[in-house]
Amino acid sequence: MRKLNIICLSIIAVLFSACGDKKAAPVEAAVTVAKPDSTSTDKTVLFFGDSLTAGYGLDDPSQAYPSVVQTKIDEAKLHYKVVNAGVSGETSAGGKARIAWILKQKVDVFVLELGANDGLRGIPVTETMQNLQAIIDAVKAKYPNAKLVLLGMQVPPNMGGKYAYSFKAIFPGLAAKNNMTFMPFLLEDVGGVPSLNQKDGIHPTAEGAKIVGNNVWQILQSVLLSKN
Amino acid sequence: METILHISNLTKTYQSAGRTLTVLDDINFSVAAGSTNAIVGPSGSGKTTLLGLCAGLDRASSGIVELNGIDLGKLSEDQLAQVRNQYIGFIFQNFQLLPTLTALENVMVPLELRGEKNIRARALDLLDKVGLADRGHHYPTQLSGGEQQRVSLARAFSNAPRILFADEPTGNLDAETSEKVVKLLFDLNKEAGTTLVVVTHDLDLAAKTQRILRIKGGKLVADDVTVNG
Amino acid sequence: MDTTHIISKRKINIPWLFEMALRDSRKNRSRLFLFISAIIFGIAALVAIYSFRYNLQNDINAQAATLIGADLAISGNRPADATISPLLKTLGENRSEERAFVSMIYFPKTQGTRLVQVKALQGDFPYYGSLETEPVAAGTSFKTSKSALVDKTLALQFNVHVNDSIKVGEVTFLIAGILDKAPGQTGVSSGVAPIVYIPMQYLEQTGLSKKGSRITYSYYYKFDKKTDIAKLTKSLDPKLDKADMNYETIESRKQNTGRSFGDLTRFLSLVGFIALLLGCVGVASAIHIYIREKIASIAIMRCLGVKASEAFLIYLIQIIGIGIIGSVIGAALGTSIQHILPMVMKDFLPITISTDISWLAIGQGVLLGVIISILFALLPLISIRNISPLNTLRINYDEVNLVRDPFRWLVYLLITLFIITFTFLQLDSWMASIFFTIGILIAFLVLTFTAWLLMKLMRVFIKSTWGYLFRQGFANLYRPNNQTIILIVSIGLSTAFICTLFFIQSILMGQVKLSSSGNQPNMILFDIQTGQEQAVAKLTKRQGLPVVQQVPIVTIRLDKINGKTEADVKKDTSLKISPRAFTYEYRVTYRDSVTTTEKIVKGNWVGKAEVGKEIPVSIEENFSKRNHVNVGDHLVFNVQGVSMPAVVASVRQVNWGKIQTNFQIVFPTGVLEDAPQFHVLLTHVPSAKVSAQFQRAVVKQFPNISIIDLGLVLNVIDSLLDKIGYVIRFMSAFSIITGIVVLIASVRISKYQRIQESVLLRTLGASRKQIFTITALEYLFLGVLSALTGILIAFAGSWLLAKYSFEAPFSINWVPVVILFLIISLLTVIIGLLNSRGVLNKPPLEILRGN
């Protein structure tokens, strides 16, 4: 009855993949646009986030919104190199554990995009808030001069009004407390619009990512242009 | 006179334990149609083997067996079977009735094989002739030795054979029964005009035939015409 | 002279042959009954097994149906658009709709909140199985009011009961029932979050179904029985695909939930086939002896002018007739056994097996019975053609060799072809059928050789110094007219078959136990962060639960394969590398050794990376095949921003058949320890209560850790396994009984061989005790030797089957084997003695005359 075990196994396999594409745990890799060994003299904009940053489900990671931002930077002839440090399925707790590894490279602008997976899993908002704060603290400790940007997130309405409300409230609070540049909702104009999202209804398509990238650029532009 | 059986230079050998055993050695004789003949000789002299060869039950090592003008050596097994069915009748020492068939059915088999008509009536008639008309529905095991041999006689004559071979027909019977069966055999033979070849130890029986062939050590040692001939 | 003119041509008279066949059978009916009984029991077993199998298949199909709950399930992540909506609304006889989404729900009583899977249901789904709830009625009645069904674990966790309430979105529902088991539950969703069912008419009011809500839309259909679902789905496929919707049917679910039923059917077929082969052994030996007894009659007929072919036909007709009678009786018996048995054993039955009369099974059984009767009778039958009429003059059985005939090779070929074909029909694999047939042939040859050797040895070893009884008893084994070969082959084959069944049964049962045993993980904790893993393991152990496995997982991407990047691969398709190899995010682990479920098939495992060198990684076999990557190939991984050059050091075969974390790529130690990672822990919780308690403890201390409880799914599987285990036992027992019956028949037919001799000895004044001893010795020796040889053959056969067919570890329990050995040896002796009983108790003459 060897094959019976396969039932169990396939359940687990499905589980993992299901979790993977929904937003859950089993992490999926980050892609960095620039390699750590790159000898560029450009300054670095590091996008630290989850699948939305990693460009989950897109044909090519270069279609993810950080790459759109890179294009904008290049068009603006600014000497910044975008590093995409998004990992699909990443939660705030995962980010907290990962931040040290990422901060081995020099960071000039740190863009934080995490929390969506916490929200979809109903993790208590205090927990998420504490993890995000820990990440911000780590950046501040290692690169005190780095400019900080926070991209806000919301959970779909099906999570229930009360939770959705308190979740949404995490981000402006953190931004204010840490003096970060703040974008209230990363998926503005895109979230909930079927044509701009992939089949799973949560990850933007390439077109959606373009809109997201433009929106992020609107915020980031001023940060990059501002003198210290 | 018509010759029904012609034997020339008949030899039969067996291979046994690497040695060649000659059972019959250059036998020559002919049998006239309608005659009665006895083959006698001591045990192991080869007389039963000779009978088997004459009746096409076995094949000769060399020599010719010609029955009713047919060279038996040239026939296939199936053709031999048909020759037996058409021309030959058999009587055995141990009766050799089919145990699963009734007396009547045993008598019917040769007729049925020939696809003849009125089989049942003819078989009953034959049973009547051997005095067993009322035992037709009995199985061989329900009959005494003499009765079995009488059924066997009825069967042997049922296909109106041209030649009848009998192998020790009285060998398994007591004296009194033997006498009855032998009488019946000769009576039926006379009535049908069949050629009779009987292998026997029983000199009384042999004496009833017209001719006695003596076999000893596989050789034909004497060929005597009796008072009957 | 042309002799053919003198011999009148005679056509074969078929009706007469039939009449002769019938006449000839009259006095032999008791003997033919042995033949019939071999057929009867073989066919009965087969028909019972087939019927049982068909019914069981239906039952299991029905169970598989409860896994999905409907004939067809269609689902998508978006509301149906205008193009597909009309189709969805017209399919099937009966339709249900479901909206599923995750949400945080609120327990007013304990003021707790929890992420759950909310399922808003409308319609009569499930059509197969039911929502098993406490109280029972709640499973259907909840849809009519503002009430909900709450998962058992959830209820335990939050200490809520029926008639308490939960708040889903803006609506408060009364808990109508506690959900025990939900058909169509895949465990995937229930694992992520426990389930709460609500009636769909309240979904809008909850306010959870809004723009941006992530909802899975499912449609369940029940069709008329006659509908060809496979055909239907084939036509639906492109439309659904266009609408981004998935579908599932009972059939596809059956396939997806493993080929476990395939394994079961395969085993049952094997059992059926073995029962059949046992019947074949019975047929062959019965006819063999029967024809021997018929030599005299056949010789007489030949004397009277019956042609060889006619004699052959007479007995062939008999065999066919008896084959038909036996098969029909067997089919009837099989059908009734399969009716009676579940009734008799009702108290022991974990499931209700339906007992419909399966005409298909009966038809197959009768047809097979006739074919087998003919085939296996042919071998002795063709020898009829060689029975010389000379046998009327001198009865010498030695000269009648029943097997030396060129035609016998044709019969052997036919039998071999039959076995191969029949096996193929059962196993659906030419390879397997050929191996199986070869196995049987080898078994046959081994047994024949054993018998031959025994006879040779006996001839040499019997010493005149032995007592008379010993000499006579053992000499019986080789003296003319002996039954050594036929008995050793038939008893040996029966033993081999029965024993193989025992072995395979225990191997399979062992497998079944293995998967449902206590240590099989049924709970997965993931997202354990570095630094938490020790504490989580400690917590798990403190709760009295085992840490079955704990592994670190690092997510990486593949940048280059042998220097080629994704762009290169897209440009040059001749590289045979899927571009997906680069888009995929690999979950890998690192460790210093291979696990028990892995086997290195190529290269060497390297457990530790050396500084400054390429990292020696191990890849999984399928990954290797899919991407044409092999040992020595160079890969460049991107470990979350850090580029890592690696070389393939080994290829692993992974047994995915275990609940374990398995990986496509495994790193050695010394590389990824610092990389961002999380840990997974597998444990086993014994009950829902413990599960809830443990989950509470974990969530309280480590809120970031997510838990999947597979308990519900495993429960379903466990109960299925129990049932399958029962069926295996049932079927095997049945075939074993059949085997013993055939064994009895095999020995009994030898009665007619020995009876004459015993009578003779008795006539010569042998005492009862002496004949008893002689017979006992002969049969004891035959029984012991056959059983021993049979067991050895079974041992070899089962080992091969276990290794190559079931891929299960081979282990046997010697106790039943020893018992089986004793039983078979004893049975042989007892039956042998019973055969002589007639001789012992009656006056010799009566037997001589009666026979």
Side-chain angles (χ1 to χ4, degrees), chain B residues 28-40:
Chain B
N28 290 283
F29 69 91
S30 289
V31 171
S35 65
T36 54
N37 309 270
I39 300 173
V40 297

Side-chain angles (χ1 to χ4, degrees), chain C residues 111-185:
Chain C
Q111 301 201 327
T113 54
R114 172 72 157 102
L115 184 77
V116 302
Q117 174 99 3
V118 179
K119 292 188 171 220
L121 187 65
Q122 170 200 292
D124 297 331
F125 176 84
Y127 301 114
Y128 302 102
S130 58
L131 296 171
E132 283 177 31
T133 53
E134 185 64 43
V136 179
T140 47
S141 67
F142 83 97
K143 277 175 272 190
T144 55
S145 60
K146 201 186 267 191
S147 41
L149 302 177
V150 175
D151 179 80
K152 192 166 70 181
T153 319
L154 188 68
L156 275 168
Q157 223 175 343
F158 286 86
N159 194 27
V160 290
H161 305 280
V162 173
N163 290 334
D164 285 344
S165 56
I166 51 164
K167 197 173 174 201
V168 179
E170 303 301 316
V171 182
T172 302
F173 292 90
L174 191 72
I175 298 175
I178 305 300
L179 186 64
D180 222 6
K181 220 160 136 188
Q185 212 40 62

Side-chain angles (χ1 to χ4, degrees), chain A residues 9-80:
Chain A
L9 195 273
S10 58
I11 285 160
I12 293 186
V14 170
L15 241 175
F16 273 119
S17 62
C19 300
D21 75 37
K22 268 177 193 153
K23 61 271 154 152
V27 176
E28 277 139 20
V31 175
T32 51
V33 173
K35 303 277 186 302
D37 58 346
S38 140
T39 51
S40 168
T41 53
D42 289 349
K43 287 185 170 179
T44 304
V45 180
L46 186 107
F47 282 85
F48 191 69
D50 48 36
S51 55
L52 297 170
T53 300
Y56 174 86
L58 297 174
D59 290 343
D60 194 322
S62 67
Q63 289 172 338
Y65 79 86
S67 298
V68 176
V69 172
Q70 176 76 65
T71 317
K72 293 285 173 190
I73 291 172
D74 294 347
E75 280 170 8
K77 303 210 176 357
L78 293 169
H79 295 285
Y80 280 94

Side-chain angles (χ1 to χ4, degrees), chain C residues 411-710:
Chain C
V411 178
Y412 286 147
L413 186 74
L414 281 176
I415 289 177
T416 312
L417 283 179
F418 167 76
I419 295 180
I420 293 177
T421 315
F422 189 81
T423 322
F424 174 73
L425 291 178
Q426 309 284 309
L427 302 180
D428 212 23
S429 147
W430 286 115
M431 259 315 246
S433 337
I434 288 168
F435 275 123
F436 190 88
T437 311
I438 290 175
I440 302 234
L441 277 179
I442 290 175
F444 190 82
L445 290 178
V446 166
L447 285 164
T448 314
F449 178 75
T450 308
W452 177 83
L453 198 70
L454 172 72
M455 284 156 69
K456 286 273 168 206
L457 289 177
M458 276 301 149
R459 223 181 265 267
V460 176
F461 282 125
I462 290 181
K463 297 268 166 39
S464 52
T465 51
W466 294 7
Y468 168 73
L469 294 181
F470 271 84
R471 264 187 294 135
Q472 177 73 21
F474 285 118
N476 273 350
L477 295 172
Y478 66 81
R479 284 184 312 126
N481 238 350
N482 70 69
Q483 54 200 348
T484 307
I485 290 190
I486 189 121
L487 279 190
I488 287 196
V489 170
S490 50
I491 298 175
L493 274 185
S494 309
T495 314
F497 286 152
I498 293 171
C499 210
T500 307
L501 272 183
F502 260 128
F503 287 161
I504 294 296
Q505 183 197 338
S506 62
I507 288 168
L508 291 184
M509 291 306 288
Q511 283 288 94
V512 170
K513 274 217 185 79
L514 202 69
S515 26
S516 55
S517 74
N519 283 328
Q520 199 73 348
N522 60 1
M523 182 175 273
I524 303 172
L525 281 70
F526 57 82
D527 241 11
I528 303 168
Q529 298 304 327
T530 307
Q532 291 182 323
E533 75 264 31
Q534 303 283 347
V536 174
K538 210 181 274 171
L539 173 70
T540 309
K541 283 177 188 149
R542 210 168 43 233
Q543 297 271 330
L545 301 174
V547 176
V548 183
Q549 210 186 17
Q550 192 170 20
V551 289
I553 291 178
V554 181
T555 307
I556 63 171
R557 253 190 160 133
L558 188 56
D559 272 358
K560 286 178 190 168
I561 298 176
N562 286 329
K564 305 290 179 201
T565 63
E566 183 178 6
D568 295 333
V569 168
K570 274 184 176 161
K571 262 183 266 163
D572 184 359
T573 48
S574 69
L575 291 170
K576 286 188 179 169
I577 297 169
S578 161
R580 289 196 65 85
F582 299 102
T583 38
Y584 194 79
E585 292 176 324
Y586 298 93
R587 300 186 313 275
V588 305
T589 193
Y590 56 89
R591 49 178 136 86
D592 58 3
S593 56
V594 276
T595 65
T596 49
T597 54
E598 298 171 324
K599 205 171 85 188
I600 301 294
V601 288
K602 276 185 220 159
N604 292 307
W605 168 261
V606 181
K608 193 160 178 22
E610 281 180 60
V611 181
K613 282 196 175 170
E614 279 185 316
I615 303 155
V617 296
S618 178
I619 59 174
E620 193 260 337
E621 211 177 15
N622 292 325
F623 176 83
S624 161
K625 281 184 196 150
R626 204 168 46 240
N627 296 309
H628 302 270
V629 176
N630 234 310
V631 172
D633 283 344
H634 300 273
L635 308 172
V636 177
F637 291 106
N638 179 340
V639 184
Q640 307 197 2
V642 180
S643 187
M644 291 188 166
V647 62
V648 178
S650 62
V651 177
R652 281 165 310 128
Q653 194 177 54
V654 175
N655 174 10
W656 298 94
K658 286 270 181 311
I659 296 188
Q660 270 200 354
T661 49
N662 285 312
F663 299 89
Q664 297 199 68
I665 300 167
V666 176
F667 273 63
T669 54
V671 187
L672 295 180
E673 278 77 356
D674 290 338
Q677 57 194 271
F678 70 96
H679 296 254
V680 167
L681 185 144
L682 304 184
T683 185
H684 175 90
V685 289
S687 67
K689 203 165 180 175
V690 175
S691 166
Q693 196 186 332
F694 180 56
Q695 287 190 45
R696 254 204 312 268
V698 172
V699 171
K700 195 176 160 202
Q701 204 176 334
F702 309 101
N704 62 296
I705 293 176
S706 297
I707 300 167
I708 297 176
D709 185 357
L710 289 172

Side-chain angles (χ1 to χ4, degrees), chain A residues 1-12 14-19 21-32 34-36 54 56 58-61 86-89 91 93-94 97-98 101-102 104-105 119-124 127 131 156-163 191-194 199-202, chain C residues 77-78 101-104 106 115 170 186 188 192 207-208 210-214 244 256-260 263-264 266 508 511-512 515 520 524 526-527 529 555-557 559 566 570 583 585 587 638-644 656-660 674-676 678 680 703-704 706 708 710 713-714 717 721 724 728 806-807:
Chain A
M1 300 289 101
R2 173 179 60 88
K3 301 240 165 69
L4 285 176
N5 294 322
I6 289 174
I7 300 177
C8 318
L9 195 273
S10 58
I11 285 160
I12 293 186
V14 170
L15 241 175
F16 273 119
S17 62
C19 300
D21 75 37
K22 268 177 193 153
K23 61 271 154 152
V27 176
E28 277 139 20
V31 175
T32 51
K35 303 277 186 302
Y56 174 86
L58 297 174
D59 290 343
D60 194 322
V87 172
S88 295
T91 58
R98 180 162 69 105
W101 173 271
I102 291 299
K104 284 182 181 175
Q105 56 198 305
L120 290 170
R121 252 186 269 166
I123 287 172
E127 170 77 12
N131 288 333
N158 57 280
M159 290 300 289
K162 199 177 162 198
Y163 183 78
V193 181
K199 277 185 205 172
D200 63 11
I202 230 171
Chain C
N77 286 324
R78 270 185 266 169
F101 53 90
V102 290
S103 186
M104 295 295 280
Y106 180 66
L115 184 77
E170 303 301 316
T186 59
V188 174
V192 176
L208 300 175
K210 283 184 184 161
K211 185 192 167 204
S213 291
R214 255 197 102 219
D244 281 337
N256 292 341
T257 38
R259 269 134 280 170
S260 51
D263 248 8
L264 176 68
R266 249 194 317 179
L508 291 184
Q511 283 288 94
V512 170
S515 26
Q520 199 73 348
I524 303 172
F526 57 82
D527 241 11
Q529 298 304 327
T555 307
I556 63 171
R557 253 190 160 133
D559 272 358
E566 183 178 6
K570 274 184 176 161
T583 38
E585 292 176 324
R587 300 186 313 275
N638 179 340
V639 184
Q640 307 197 2
V642 180
S643 187
M644 291 188 166
W656 298 94
K658 286 270 181 311
I659 296 188
Q660 270 200 354
D674 290 338
F678 70 96
V680 167
N704 62 296
S706 297
I708 297 176
L710 289 172
V713 192
L714 287 179
I717 292 168
L721 284 177
I724 290 172
I728 289 176
F806 297 103
E807 289 165 45

Side-chain angles (χ1 to χ4, degrees), chain B residues 180-196:
Chain B
K180 279 184 194 159
V181 166
V182 168
K183 184 173 179 328
L184 200 54
L185 170 63
F186 279 88
D187 287 352
L188 286 170
N189 188 58
K190 203 169 189 177
E191 191 186 317
T194 314
T195 317
L196 181 68

Side-chain angles (χ1 to χ4, degrees), chain B residues 82 84 87 96 105 112, chain C residues 6 8 16 23 26 392:
Chain B
Q82 264 182 244
R84 287 194 293 270
Y87 303 118
Q96 300 290 25
E105 284 165 349
E112 287 171 334
Chain C
I6 297 172
S8 63
W16 182 73
R23 281 174 182 168
R26 272 192 308 230
T392 46

